Amino acid sequence: MLKMSADPLLSVEDLRVEFPISSGVLGSGTAGTVKAVDGVSFNLISGETLGVVGESGCGKTTTGLAILRMLGIAGGKIVFDGKDITNLTRGQMRPIRKKMQMVYQDPFGALDPRMRVRDIIGEPLIAHAEAKEKAKYRARIEELLDIVGLDARMGERYPHEFSGGQRQRIGIARALALNPKLIICDEPVSALDVSIQAQIINLLESLQKKLGLTYIFIAHDLSVVQHISDRVMVMYLGKVVEIASHTELYKNPKHPYTQALLSAVPTPSPDAEAQREVVLLEGEVPSPLNPPKGCPFHPRCPVARPECSVKAPEVVVDSVGHQVSCHLFS
Amino acid sequence: MADISGQAGVSAPKVRIGQRGRLADFTRRLFREKPLGAFGAVMCLVFLVTGLFADFIAPFGYNEMNPIDRLKPPSVEYFLGTDQIGRDVFSRIVHGARTSLIIGFSAAFFSIIISCVIGITTGYFRGKFDMLVQRMVDAWMSFPDLVVVIVAVSVFGPGMWQVILVLSLLYGIAGSRIVRSAVLTVKENDYVHAAESVGVSTIRILLRHILPNIMAPIIVLFTTRLAAVILVEAGLSFLGLGVPPPAPSWGGMLSFEGRSYMFQAPWLAIMPGLAITFVVYNINMFGDALRDLLDPRMRGSGLKQKLDV
């Protein structure tokens, strides 16, 4: 739906992140590797919101951290704002960090309890030497507090004096401090009350319009993702199973896993709820230490065929850009 | 109480606890919830004042001899009696407090510095560096303390600064484990990740985020170190490895005059012994109270911000 520029802001190709499981007395041996992110590819157009959903442990957050280069990358390529950042050093990454920020899941853990709110929000400015003039620095912090709907006087306080929703606003203000292009929201509302969730989502949406932000919105709650996303990416066991625009995905989910996820979303109307067909998945998510051969979803898939356990499905893209990895469509 | 007023401060700004109120608030809690700890704190203060103003408090010089009044029991003139060459025991204990104070605070302070440097760097950077340094710490800790001290004293000769150096190293290196484990938990917090992902420099992360958030265990570590150092210094002086006579030291007093005249003049052994026990006990009580008050996430508000200055 958003086809403004041909060049994507972010393009991720075949991204792989692996965690070695060390063994032995000195931690020298390797018992195996967890493929936390295994060949993830997607593009992100400037100004859009990509929702990322999946069960816990499917590699959503790891993907986000890898894009920020907070983790070692085992393979693949990340191009951000026209620049390949896959192999940049710490020092080379520093100027780029200004343009990509993160909002964290836990509003209690994300703010240093020993710092005043104004220092928390101002820290990115200080880190990038944009706090030279005291008056400008103060004005910027007040502006940021105002943008996220907090009183300028609240900057004097400490994080423990705020509620969860207010803290999340502070986290957002910090992320906005350096005028970033991309914000990775790692389950920013899952720790909040439902009523507060809506406020934060609305805040994020209005900020996006005002400041032209691009979001990667990680969540495990499909209804939240449906509301805010332009496109939705479904992940399972470190792999992308489906990417589609949010209307297309919710109307026409192709992958059996997506169908199961969608059927698990409760509906607010009791009548509709009674008629809702629920696809129940059996079993557990397999260990990423030892993922199943072929399609990673086949042991739990209600419509698995013999070939599913033999070879991994190809990525198929249809005419409306609906991408799915499933043998049913290849 | 602190909780409630702190919470109310969010909705009603008029109840805001001022920065100045935090220490007062903590003191109030100390006295209300930990009377024994508060007693310890007051006694520590007495000890501090005694050590600092020894010259004004002691009626006699620590080495001032009155040969006529040898081995006198406690009396009005000689508060705690006199020793075999007529020195006033009270004056010597007061001056001994200064020795204990200097050695205790210096060694505890330097050992905390050493613990912090080792603990914070290894805990934050991890990896091979952590591995290597921690194995060296293991090796160091496997030496018996007393052997290290005897070797050091025989190399550098006895004296106050040698004792401080050796005790700082001994306790500093062992204590690095405690600091390191505190760092390990703190550095996994999202606010540290957030600072890293924004591009905040490592030194700033260590000083602004890690250090203030491990202050509680560090303060508690300091009080336990203080008590331990005073005790060990007394032990070393008893063995003749500490502060050489005639400088007054509680351990030395126990050993030289106390041991020789234990039966003729028991106050020579009892008084310095009591001084050691009393000071160490009170520091420990205060330290325990501090740990209890600082540890359980401060129960909302508190003196957190005040203490990390």
Side-chain angles (χ1 to χ4, degrees):
Chain A
M1 58 191 296
L2 279 154
K3 292 264 152 47
M4 300 183 292
S5 53
D7 286 332
L9 175 68
L10 175 77
S11 117
V12 175
E13 246 173 75
D14 196 29
L15 179 71
R16 276 178 290 121
V17 179
E18 291 170 1
F19 297 114
I21 305 296
S22 55
S23 67
V25 193
L26 297 170
S28 48
T30 319
T33 44
V34 172
K35 293 179 175 173
V37 177
D38 189 11
V40 165
S41 305
F42 63 90
N43 285 328
L44 197 57
I45 300 154
S46 190
E48 80 167 334
T49 301
L50 176 71
V52 182
V53 290
E55 282 163 276
S56 27
C58 73
K60 299 168 298 199
T61 304
T62 312
T63 307
L65 290 175
I67 293 167
L68 286 171
R69 291 287 320 278
M70 296 288 289
L71 296 168
I73 294 170
K77 194 172 159 192
I78 303 167
V79 179
F80 176 71
D81 207 13
K83 195 168 177 187
D84 186 342
I85 62 165
T86 323
N87 297 311
L88 294 189
T89 61
R90 245 183 91 97
Q92 289 170 321
M93 240 350 252
R94 255 178 80 94
I96 294 168
R97 294 200 181 282
K98 285 206 266 190
K99 298 185 211 156
M100 47 208 306
Q101 299 284 321
M102 188 146 180
V103 173
Y104 294 84
Q105 173 175 11
D106 175 14
F108 293 86
L111 308 176
D112 189 334
R114 308 271 168 139
M115 280 169 93
R116 281 171 201 277
V117 166
R118 62 170 150 81
D119 297 327
I120 293 171
I121 296 174
E123 185 159 57
L125 298 169
I126 292 168
H128 290 277
E130 295 193 358
K132 291 276 161 59
E133 284 169 64
K134 265 269 150 65
K136 257 192 188 168
Y137 170 69
R138 287 230 184 88
R140 176 67 179 147
I141 287 169
E142 281 182 16
E143 184 190 349
L144 286 165
L145 282 168
D146 185 55
I147 286 177
V148 298
L150 292 173
D151 195 289
R153 278 174 310 168
M154 289 178 172
E156 293 300 311
R157 299 197 195 157
Y158 288 89
H160 69 86
E161 297 177 61
F162 292 89
S163 68
Q166 285 174 317
R167 287 181 200 215
Q168 205 52 285
R169 287 172 190 268
I170 296 165
I172 294 169
R174 170 176 60 190
L176 292 173
L178 293 163
N179 287 316
K181 293 187 170 175
L182 171 69
I183 295 186
I184 298 176
C185 305
D186 183 13
E187 309 206 18
V189 298
S190 46
L192 305 174
D193 286 348
V194 178
S195 58
I196 311 292
Q197 285 190 357
Q199 288 179 15
I200 297 294
I201 298 274
N202 290 338
L203 174 68
L204 286 170
E205 282 192 316
S206 76
L207 289 172
Q208 182 170 40
K209 281 199 200 99
K210 220 186 290 179
L211 305 171
L213 298 168
T214 308
Y215 290 140
I216 293 179
F217 194 97
I218 300 165
H220 58 245
D221 181 340
L222 275 161
S223 50
V224 168
V225 167
Q226 180 180 21
H227 184 77
I228 194 168
S229 307
D230 299 311
R231 285 190 302 151
V232 179
M233 175 163 99
V234 183
M235 288 183 72
Y236 186 78
L237 219 61
K239 285 188 157 72
V240 176
V241 298
E242 190 161 2
I243 302 181
S245 74
H246 85 289
T247 39
E248 171 72 13
L249 187 94
Y250 285 87
K251 216 167 48 196
N252 179 22
K254 287 184 174 175
H255 198 283
Y257 180 62
T258 315
Q259 289 167 0
L261 274 185
L262 282 175
S263 78
V265 177
T267 43
S269 141
D271 292 338
E273 183 69 19
Q275 290 175 5
R276 189 159 66 99
E277 249 181 84
V278 179
V279 185
L280 273 184
L281 289 182
E282 282 170 21
E284 302 257 325
V285 184
S287 158
L289 191 59
N290 184 22
K293 278 211 180 64
C295 174
F297 188 57
H298 84 262
R300 298 171 76 193
C301 184
V303 288
R305 303 187 200 165
E307 73 254 38
C308 294
S309 56
V310 180
K311 86 183 196 314
E314 307 264 309
V315 174
V316 186
V317 187
D318 76 1
S319 52
V320 290
H322 191 147
Q323 173 192 324
V324 65
S325 304
C326 181
H327 283 300
L328 292 174
F329 300 94
S330 50
Chain B
M1 288 328 273
D3 255 354
I4 296 162
S5 47
Q7 287 299 318
V10 177
S11 51
K14 62 178 162 49
V15 205
R16 266 181 73 180
I17 293 186
Q19 281 312 47
R20 225 171 293 116
R22 288 210 153 84
L23 196 62
D25 193 54
F26 177 76
T27 317
R28 213 173 308 127
R29 274 182 62 203
L30 178 66
F31 275 86
R32 188 171 304 146
E33 293 170 30
K34 303 276 165 194
L36 205 56
F39 178 75
V42 171
M43 286 305 130
C44 287
L45 215 63
V46 169
F47 167 61
L48 212 71
V49 170
T50 310
L52 287 176
F53 301 105
D55 295 323
F56 303 100
I57 295 171
F60 299 93
Y62 64 82
N63 218 18
E64 193 181 322
M65 290 171 265
N66 296 312
I68 313 153
D69 297 327
R70 276 173 307 175
L71 297 176
K72 288 269 188 230
S75 63
V76 178
E77 195 188 359
Y78 302 108
F79 195 42
L80 299 177
T82 60
D83 66 6
Q84 76 282 10
I85 46 177
R87 293 177 298 189
D88 178 37
V89 172
F90 177 67
S91 300
R92 283 180 65 74
I93 284 184
V94 168
H95 280 281
R98 172 178 285 178
T99 310
S100 292
L101 187 78
I102 294 174
I103 292 183
F105 273 86
S106 312
F109 179 76
F110 290 128
S111 79
I112 292 292
I113 300 281
I114 293 170
S115 296
C116 282
V117 171
I118 299 177
I120 291 178
T121 50
T122 55
Y124 184 75
F125 295 115
R126 300 299 309 276
K128 290 234 159 56
F129 171 72
D130 181 33
M131 226 345 236
L132 203 73
V133 175
Q134 288 305 320
R135 293 300 78 76
M136 277 153 63
V137 170
D138 282 336
W140 174 268
M141 290 203 302
S142 63
F143 284 120
D145 290 1
L146 200 59
V147 173
V148 177
V149 175
I150 290 171
V151 168
V153 170
S154 57
V155 173
F156 301 118
M160 188 187 280
W161 290 102
Q162 287 86 320
V163 172
I164 292 174
L165 176 80
V166 175
L167 293 185
S168 305
L169 275 175
L170 273 178
Y171 284 118
I173 291 175
S176 70
R177 278 293 159 75
I178 293 165
V179 176
R180 177 175 171 271
S181 70
V183 172
L184 289 182
T185 52
V186 167
K187 79 168 210 153
E188 289 309 322
N189 277 310
D190 274 343
Y191 57 81
V192 176
H193 295 219
E196 286 166 350
S197 77
V198 166
V200 176
S201 64
T202 306
I203 189 80
R204 201 183 142 82
I205 291 176
L206 294 183
L207 294 179
R208 287 298 306 264
H209 294 291
I210 304 282
L211 187 61
N213 283 293
I214 56 169
M215 257 350 253
I218 286 179
I219 290 168
V220 174
L221 190 62
F222 181 83
T223 59
T224 61
R225 284 321 186 218
L226 183 59
V229 165
I230 289 174
L231 206 56
V232 170
E233 183 271 325
L236 291 179
S237 293
F238 185 86
L239 295 175
L241 298 168
V243 185
S249 136
W250 294 344
M253 290 169 74
L254 265 182
S255 161
F256 301 119
E257 46 269 36
R259 221 152 31 109
S260 330
Y261 297 93
M262 204 190 294
F263 296 106
Q264 297 98 306
W267 54 90
L268 286 182
I270 291 171
M271 296 311 167
L274 274 181
I276 296 169
T277 313
F278 191 70
V279 164
V280 171
Y281 179 80
N282 281 306
I283 293 174
N284 281 335
M285 280 302 115
F286 180 47
D288 272 3
L290 266 186
R291 192 193 57 208
D292 289 352
L293 292 179
L294 288 174
D295 246 13
R297 292 309 300 159
M298 301 292 299
R299 309 194 199 160
S301 73
L303 88 167
K304 273 183 183 175
Q305 287 80 15
K306 201 73 194 175
L307 276 176
D308 60 7
V309 182

